[in-house]
Amino acid sequence: MKEKDAMTLKDNNLKNTRHNAIIQLIEEESIGTQNELSRRLEEEGFVVTQATISRDIRELRLVKVADAEGNYHYEIGKTSEKMPDTNKFHSIFLASAHKVDYANNLVVIKCYTGMAQAVCATMDSLEWSGIVGTVSGDDTILIVMRDENSAKELVKTLREIR
Amino acid sequence: MKEKDAMTLKDNNLKNTRHNAIIQLIEEESIGTQNELSRRLEEEGFVVTQATISRDIRELRLVKVADAEGNYHYEIGKTSEKMPDTNKFHSIFLASAHKVDYANNLVVIKCYTGMAQAVCATMDSLEWSGIVGTVSGDDTILIVMRDENSAKELVKTLREIR
DNA sequence: GTCATTTGTGTATAATTATGCTACGATGTA
DNA sequence: TACATCGTAGCATAATTATACACAAATGAC
């Protein structure tokens, strides 16, 4: 009997919506400390202590960085921006692509009709090294690689996903 | 008469080499606290207190972020990585491109022969929003934008550079 | 059902980081 | 020369952040 009254319940869902709220908050306004974030979250209906926010920040891989004037604020870290995308790409790729091949430094991905754009956009966001550029039609993605070896590597990586 | 013996001299140059040393250190090894960084710097011949390192970190816009296992370490922030690229792009673009136009959601940049690849690669690294994909030949870059409005915006931005 | 495990969080506090104040060398001005 | 100003950094400490410990709800094994 130590807890007050609130929910110490393992509400996974609540934690997730809080995480989303945190990301939205730090993207929209300049938040400099965890207490500040705590106050703003409270206004949005999430009542948690600084300790929890510290843990959230670790899980979300957020970072505190100075702006040009030397004022600190929280930001999405570069890793956390990319990791989710990798997962996103895997699931989109699995659901949409059915053939991968290459010739010289060109890689071609065949997708189910209408899916190519989505796969292509997601792949672009991953900024894989070796990719010079990508274009996609309705069902085909053309990827221009730096050289044939990069093309071979990319095909191998993509085939491992399946 | 409070200082020890060391140099409290305004050696701007020393501060700069220390900054470089810090960047190199955090890129090469996993450094989790400022005291740890202080110790490593000492081994490299830079004797400074945690306070100074805190200031260095603000100036360099470094960030502390958790890795997959939840262990914290310092990293180069995304801002400090991208600013130089923007400058690089500006100078390359100025030196290489001579015409920019668009139709629908496609932007075409005409460059002096052989320069397109360089401009394209540099532009890719900027990850401008609205860009779906890019391909470049010897003297032409084709940029596929999300929509016509993005294309218009991009052309405007590029023309402002000239 | 019981019991062990996992997950999420608060409390209290340890650990870490930021900063006000101060000092000192360098630079500029008269 | 003296004197003011600026930039860098130390020291001490305030401010902030991370975490050990404890507890409770959910989950799973039996």
Side-chain angles (χ1 to χ4, degrees), chain A residues 19-153:
Chain A
H19 278 191
N20 290 337
I22 289 174
I23 288 172
Q24 200 174 331
L25 276 173
I26 66 164
E27 293 213 315
E28 285 174 358
E29 36 202 283
S30 176
I31 294 184
T33 73
Q34 297 181 1
N35 279 327
E36 202 178 331
L37 184 51
S38 169
R39 265 181 276 114
R40 288 292 291 112
L41 276 174
E42 199 158 336
E43 288 171 24
E44 306 285 331
F46 300 91
V47 182
V48 280
T49 58
Q50 173 269 323
T52 297
I53 291 177
S54 170
R55 296 179 185 116
D56 287 344
I57 283 172
R58 173 166 57 192
E59 285 167 33
L60 292 169
R61 318 264 214 112
L62 303 183
V63 299
K64 194 180 177 182
V65 64
D67 63 20
E69 289 82 45
N71 299 118
Y72 277 103
H73 67 278
Y74 281 97
E75 266 187 22
I76 313 274
K78 41 172 198 249
T79 324
S80 51
E81 276 187 321
K82 254 160 244 180
M83 268 305 284
D85 276 12
T86 303
N87 295 336
K88 206 165 99 187
F89 174 69
H90 277 220
S91 58
I92 290 187
F93 181 81
L94 272 171
S96 314
H98 62 85
K99 196 184 139 201
V100 178
D101 210 346
Y102 77 103
N104 283 327
N105 67 323
L106 298 176
V107 175
V108 174
I109 304 178
K110 287 296 263 183
C111 302
Y112 300 109
T113 310
M115 313 296 275
Q117 298 276 357
V119 177
C120 186
T122 319
M123 197 166 58
D124 273 1
S125 75
L126 296 178
E127 302 162 57
W128 274 342
S129 67
I131 295 186
V132 175
T134 60
V135 231
S136 73
D138 256 15
D139 61 0
T140 306
I141 302 170
L142 172 68
I143 304 157
V144 183
M145 302 300 293
R146 204 71 65 195
D147 49 45
E148 176 160 3
N149 209 53
S150 307
K152 205 156 106 181
E153 277 300 311

Side-chain angles (χ1 to χ4, degrees), chain B residues 96 109-118 135-141:
Chain B
S96 313
I109 304 178
K110 288 295 264 185
C111 302
Y112 299 109
T113 310
M115 313 296 275
Q117 299 275 357
V135 227
S136 72
D138 256 15
D139 62 359
T140 305
I141 303 170

Side-chain angles (χ1 to χ4, degrees), chain B residues 99-115:
Chain B
K99 196 183 140 202
V100 179
D101 209 347
Y102 78 103
N104 283 327
N105 66 324
L106 299 176
V107 175
V108 174
I109 304 178
K110 288 295 264 185
C111 302
Y112 299 109
T113 310
M115 313 296 275

